[in-house]
Amino acid sequence: MKAKKTKLSLSNILFGLFIVLMIIPQSRQFIQIQLQKGLSLFSPSIEDEDERIQLQTYQWKLQDTNGNIYDFSSVKNKVVFINFWATWCPPCIAEMPDLDELYKDYKDKVEFLFVTNDDKEKVKTFLKKNGYTLDVYYPISNHPNFEVSSVPRTFLIDKYGNIVIDKTGVANWNGDKVRATLDELLTD
């Protein structure tokens, strides 16, 4: 009975400590990122071919970090990977290392668009601090027919404009499943 009471007290203390750490902003973000990294072990789902939504338009303008205009219509007939993210978003931060690795390996074959509305200086600082090499874009006009109401939100689009992956939340973007899907789309 005494061992059970000690175990219960210890679990209450640990739970209380967890609550206190979640209240403190500096430790809260760290804990949230670590929890999201655990969730990022799972690969995103691939849309069934007969359920894939096709882009209705390629009319979308973006701007890169240097102020250059990017016309989304230039990705027609290409495999496109679009990730909407933010520097303040724990799931975005958790999946960014995988995204950066995927980008490094496929940047010459796949069109990557990492899209944010964050402050440009915050984004530059975030990328430099973490050693990420990916290119970031800011929307100038409304995006095509996909809805983005929260971040992270990621789309993988085939050469024909079909949305192959539509994922809200954190995922394993550098895993075998995503790489095999990209390889298949590139040979199609």
Side-chain angles (χ1 to χ4, degrees), residues 2 4 30 33 37-39 42 64 68 77 87 94 99 109-110 120 126 128 130 144-145 148 151 154 161 173 180:
K2 187 175 181 180
K4 188 175 182 179
F30 174 78
I33 292 168
K37 283 186 180 185
L39 293 173
F42 301 100
D64 69 15
N68 301 313
N77 304 315
T87 59
L99 290 169
K109 304 172 199 162
V110 174
K120 289 180 182 179
F126 176 82
K128 186 175 181 177
N130 293 290
N145 62 306
V148 180
V151 291
T154 306
W173 295 109

Side-chain angles (χ1 to χ4, degrees), residues 63-83:
Q63 186 176 39
D64 69 15
T65 54
N66 297 319
N68 301 313
I69 303 299
Y70 181 90
D71 188 347
F72 187 66
S73 65
S74 68
V75 303
K76 265 189 176 180
N77 304 315
K78 295 180 181 179
V79 176
V80 185
F81 189 98
I82 305 171
N83 176 261

Side-chain angles (χ1 to χ4, degrees), residues 52-60 72-73 75-78 80 82 113 143-147 155-164:
R52 292 179 182 171
I53 297 171
Q54 188 170 39
L55 294 181
Q56 300 302 309
T57 181
Y58 283 83
Q59 300 303 311
W60 188 26
F72 187 66
S73 65
V75 303
K76 265 189 176 180
N77 304 315
K78 295 180 181 179
V80 185
I82 305 171
L113 299 173
H143 47 72
N145 62 306
F146 38 80
E147 184 180 323
F155 299 93
L156 178 59
I157 302 166
D158 69 14
K159 295 175 185 177
Y160 310 104
N162 299 305
I163 298 175
V164 177

Side-chain angles (χ1 to χ4, degrees), residues 167-179:
K167 174 69 176 153
T168 300
V170 67
N172 180 3
W173 295 109
N174 196 29
D176 294 339
K177 185 176 181 181
V178 171
R179 286 175 173 271

Side-chain angles (χ1 to χ4, degrees), residues 21 31 45 67 78 94 103 106 113 125 142 147 163 166 181:
L21 289 173
I31 292 169
S45 299
K78 295 180 181 179
Y103 171 76
Y106 283 89
L113 299 173
T125 301
N142 291 333
E147 184 180 323
I163 298 175
D166 178 350
T181 302

Side-chain angles (χ1 to χ4, degrees), residues 87 116-125 138:
T87 59
T116 187
N117 285 318
D118 266 355
D119 176 75
K120 289 180 182 179
E121 287 306 312
K122 281 184 183 179
V123 170
K124 285 181 182 179
T125 301
Y138 301 87

